[in-house]
Amino acid sequence: MMMTRARRSVSALALLLAAGLPQTVLAAQPKESTPVLDYEPADSLEGNFLSAYIAGASRDTAAAATFYREAVKADPRNAELVERAFISLLADGALPDAFRTAEKLIARDPTNGLANLSLGVRQIKAGQWAAARQNFSRSGRGAATDLTATLLTAWSYAGAGDSKKALETVNKLRGERYYNTFRDYHAGLIASVTGDNAEAERRLKAAYDADHNTLRIVDAYARMEASLGRTDLAIQAYSDFDQLSPRHPLVRDALEKLKEGKPLTRLIGTAQEGAAEVLYGLGSAGSTQGDELPAVIYLRLALYLAPDHALARLTLADTLDRMKQPERANEAYAQIPANSPLKLNADIQVGLNLEQMGKGDEALAHLDAAMKAHPDDIDVITALGNVQRARKKYEEAAATYTRAIDLIGDRPQSNYWTTYYFRGTAYERAKQWPKAEADLKKALSLVPANQPAAKAQVMNYLGYSWVDQNINIDEAFKLLQQAADASPRDGMIVDSLGWAYYRLGRWDDAVRELEKAVELKPGDPTINDHLGDGYWRAGRRLEGKFQWQHAKDLNPEPDDLTQINAKLKDGLPDIEKPTATAETVPAPVAAPHNPDNPELPKGAPQPHEAPGSADKAKKSGG
């Protein structure tokens, strides 16, 4: 049982870390309008529409765009079909086709909000500032729409050289609590672009004082201070951010340049780039709140205006990954310029995605080449170890992690606690438990206090390993209770707690927790197998066999399958009820469970947070 759980526990931690550690990959700039050749159009309107609908439901933007193109050719007067095609073309980055489709939509419905927004963006790129404002004024109503239209209109005034009107427009923003920060941020950028350095300094300082956890605000403020000759303030701002979100490549690059006396350019240099910054902020906010399709559309438009906007590329790539389009994401990562601070991190993500795509040998070769090119980079070495571990090359992975740990030197070890954790899991899988236990304890001692969900995963791995080996039951039980308290909706952790009860012979308590675990994480063979064992020991043998059969049908690991088949044939042997001092520990009160309203992960941006929160340094959560 432990081998299956071990691997899955590491996967759960990786998802948590995605929110808290630096996101350091880029995405592709919008491509030209070229039909995707990987999809064969259907022979009928109905076939193309159905294919497009299914592709859209699967969030495959390339396929949806291809099939909607063909469907519109067959029925160009169908307004709903044209609008669906327009949205899919935007999301796929086929912007010339999307703009032509937007013109058709506007001809039929001059108030179509997204079509007006898109055409306004095209006019900004062409320098047609007044025409852009007309489109933005017709882009609809609503909080997000008003925010977008107001800021883009302000930037259009800036592009036309009317700085006074631009700032007056920005200052009209009123509403949610984050509007003040967002207003000051863009007012400062506009003042900088239009040459009003005093106003730029005042407004960017106000934005920074209100929020120094968002990279984009920190970067704009620090670059402004550096341009004014206050290098010490710029270094301090970057260093403070580095304490919150260590090792971000853009921050490291800026700090290195400042310490070497090299100049930093200001964040935004033109009104067109400023408009792109608005769209990036909206896309970034949407990507953190699960609104992937709108986020992709905003980010595509941002990159249309500013192809070199690094964080827009980063967020688009991350969103494509979460939409389960790793191949498209890798195409994007491959376009990162060799001189970008984010290039190596893009290469790392390519390797990790190759592994996710089932191309393990390519992944290993890719990351091995990256490591040889950057032999002292801990991140690329750790990534190679992760793929080796995923390919079940556990001893090789442990050796690779050791190479990374040897490079830590006098750097803060807490920044690299994951490397100890991953090496511990590799040792455990390689059946070198003493080394594994030492690394897991080390990782547990290093996890920052502001990452409780990640700490719960480490406690779960260590506690479950003890329980599964039937050792240190008392200490394991305490760890698993703490982990379950920190992450009450993590099915794997709840399963571990149930398994601890099982080892203690507290069958009813075990069944209660294991039933909850199955509800939280249905379809996991290990949890269903555990519940079958719990039912059997609690005297519910028919239900136990049902769960074992269900576990068997869920494609368990080969070793686990052998044990499940034996239990289906003969059941569990009779045993005396185990006893341990932890048996006197009272059962915890079951955590509230409402499957219709799952709570957000700790540290996840809330719906009311400001656009741009995807690059916010996390103070809590994984």
Side-chain angles (χ1 to χ4, degrees):
M1 304 287 184
M2 181 168 59
M3 296 178 70
T4 300
R5 162 58 52 79
R7 180 169 59 259
R8 290 173 181 259
S9 182
V10 175
S11 298
L13 181 64
L15 292 175
L16 285 166
L17 295 178
L21 295 182
Q23 302 284 333
T24 50
V25 289
L26 300 177
Q29 63 189 70
K31 64 182 187 304
E32 291 302 315
S33 175
T34 304
V36 178
L37 302 178
D38 293 341
Y39 306 99
E40 185 68 32
D43 295 329
S44 65
L45 167 63
E46 295 79 7
N48 281 310
F49 175 78
L50 182 59
S51 297
Y53 183 85
I54 294 172
S58 302
R59 303 197 293 183
D60 186 338
T61 57
T66 298
F67 292 119
Y68 274 127
R69 270 193 186 95
E70 297 301 318
V72 169
K73 289 178 183 177
D75 190 4
R77 297 181 180 275
N78 188 318
E80 181 180 354
L81 189 60
V82 172
E83 186 161 19
R84 286 174 178 265
F86 167 60
I87 292 171
S88 69
L89 290 167
L90 275 181
D92 193 45
L95 295 184
D97 280 357
F99 294 144
R100 284 191 288 270
T101 308
E103 291 171 345
K104 296 176 183 178
L105 287 172
I106 292 295
R108 297 176 180 177
D109 178 13
T111 65
N112 186 293
L114 186 57
N116 274 299
L117 172 67
S118 301
L119 292 179
V121 168
R122 183 177 67 173
Q123 287 156 347
I124 280 183
K125 186 161 186 174
Q128 298 170 353
W129 309 109
R133 284 196 294 276
Q134 290 181 356
N135 279 109
F136 297 144
S137 69
R138 296 193 296 264
S139 60
R141 286 294 176 265
T145 303
D146 288 344
L147 174 67
T148 309
T150 299
L151 289 173
L152 289 176
T153 297
W155 277 108
S156 73
Y157 280 121
D162 192 342
S163 60
K164 180 179 178 181
K165 191 69 173 176
L167 289 173
E168 286 177 354
T169 302
V170 171
N171 288 336
K172 292 177 182 178
L173 280 178
R174 296 288 186 274
E176 301 291 340
R177 65 177 179 83
Y178 60 77
Y179 273 35
N180 289 342
T181 303
F182 209 48
R183 181 179 64 232
D184 284 333
Y185 173 60
H186 276 278
L189 295 177
I190 287 171
S192 177
V193 167
T194 57
D196 188 345
N197 289 336
E199 182 68 2
E201 180 181 1
R202 185 176 75 83
R203 301 299 285 269
L204 289 176
K205 178 69 162 56
Y208 177 74
D209 287 343
D211 179 5
H212 13 283
N213 300 335
T214 298
L215 175 59
R216 208 63 181 163
I217 291 176
V218 173
D219 204 12
Y221 166 75
R223 287 173 180 271
M224 177 205 66
E225 294 288 15
S227 71
L228 296 174
R230 296 194 284 262
T231 304
D232 56 335
L233 293 179
I235 290 175
Q236 186 63 53
Y238 284 127
S239 299
D240 289 345
F241 185 86
D242 190 58
Q243 292 296 312
L244 291 171
S245 185
R247 310 194 325 271
H248 195 291
L250 295 178
V251 171
R252 285 189 294 176
D253 181 68
L255 280 171
E256 288 173 6
K257 287 179 178 176
L258 288 172
K259 291 174 181 178
E260 293 172 1
K262 297 178 180 178
L264 294 179
T265 59
R266 294 203 179 191
L267 190 67
I268 300 297
T270 66
Q272 182 172 315
E273 291 175 0
E277 183 71 8
V278 174
L279 296 164
Y280 158 70
L282 294 165
S284 176
S287 72
T288 66
Q289 296 170 14
D291 298 329
E292 282 89 359
L293 185 61
V296 166
I297 289 172
Y298 281 126
L299 293 166
R300 295 288 194 192
L301 291 171
L303 290 169
Y304 171 76
L305 292 178
D308 294 331
H309 194 306
L311 283 177
R313 293 179 177 278
L314 161 74
T315 309
L316 177 58
D318 178 62
T319 306
L320 288 171
D321 273 333
R322 283 188 282 110
M323 292 172 71
K324 302 193 184 305
Q325 298 186 43
E327 189 169 357
R328 298 292 306 283
N330 276 4
E331 292 171 0
Y333 298 141
Q335 297 181 24
I336 304 304
N339 62 353
S340 168
L342 296 167
K343 176 59 175 176
L344 177 58
N345 301 91
D347 285 343
I348 289 172
Q349 192 60 47
V350 167
L352 297 176
N353 278 353
L354 286 170
E355 165 60 25
Q356 291 295 318
M357 294 160 61
K359 300 179 179 181
D361 290 341
E362 290 183 42
L364 289 172
H366 179 88
L367 289 172
D368 186 62
M371 184 182 70
K372 289 175 179 175
H374 304 273
D376 296 328
D377 190 278
I378 294 176
D379 291 334
V380 70
I381 297 171
T382 300
L384 176 60
N386 289 344
V387 173
Q388 289 170 331
R389 179 166 45 80
R391 304 303 298 168
K392 300 185 179 182
K393 300 176 181 291
Y394 303 120
E395 292 186 359
E396 290 181 32
T400 299
Y401 293 132
T402 298
R403 177 173 177 172
I405 288 171
D406 289 343
L407 290 170
I408 294 175
D410 58 0
R411 284 172 278 199
Q413 286 193 325
S414 60
N415 290 352
Y416 300 95
W417 67 266
T418 54
T419 310
Y420 286 98
Y421 175 78
F422 292 141
R423 188 175 70 172
T425 65
Y427 278 138
E428 183 270 324
R429 301 304 304 280
K431 303 187 186 306
Q432 299 182 43
W433 176 244
K435 292 181 179 179
E437 185 177 42
D439 272 350
L440 293 172
K441 288 181 175 180
K442 175 78 169 180
L444 187 58
S445 72
L446 294 175
V447 181
N450 64 0
Q451 296 184 25
K455 187 170 186 177
Q457 292 293 332
V458 182
M459 290 191 290
N460 177 52
Y461 200 110
L462 179 59
Y464 181 86
S465 298
W466 280 337
V467 167
D468 209 62
Q469 296 176 70
N470 227 356
I471 60 175
N472 297 343
I473 297 297
D474 288 344
E475 191 174 353
F477 192 85
K478 292 175 184 176
L479 276 184
L480 294 172
Q481 281 190 309
Q482 293 176 46
D485 288 342
S487 297
R489 297 190 55 78
D490 188 313
M492 301 304 286
I493 291 177
V494 175
D495 171 67
S496 296
L497 181 60
W499 198 236
Y501 279 125
Y502 179 90
R503 289 295 196 192
L504 292 169
R506 296 171 61 174
W507 316 130
D508 291 339
D509 291 332
V511 166
R512 183 196 65 247
E513 297 300 321
L514 293 170
E515 285 179 334
K516 191 195 309 178
V518 166
E519 191 176 353
L520 289 168
K521 191 174 178 62
D524 184 275
T526 300
I527 299 177
N528 283 273
D529 185 26
H530 284 173
L531 180 57
D533 289 5
Y535 279 150
W536 184 275
R537 292 300 183 200
R540 299 161 64 176
R541 297 193 170 188
L542 183 61
E543 292 171 274
K545 284 199 169 186
F546 175 84
Q547 290 297 330
W548 289 332
Q549 183 61 53
H550 190 41
K552 178 179 178 178
D553 294 339
L554 291 171
N555 193 30
E557 292 289 304
D559 291 345
D560 293 343
L561 179 60
T562 300
Q563 296 179 33
I564 291 170
N565 282 329
K567 288 185 288 189
L568 283 168
K569 179 182 178 183
D570 301 319
L572 291 172
D574 293 334
I575 60 171
E576 292 185 12
K577 189 174 182 179
T579 58
T581 57
E583 192 170 359
T584 61
V585 177
V589 177
H593 176 46
N594 179 2
D596 296 324
N597 184 26
E599 64 188 48
L600 290 171
K602 288 180 171 56
Q606 303 298 310
H608 58 269
E609 286 192 316
S613 57
D615 57 27
K616 186 177 291 294
K618 301 293 188 271
K619 282 189 174 180
S620 64

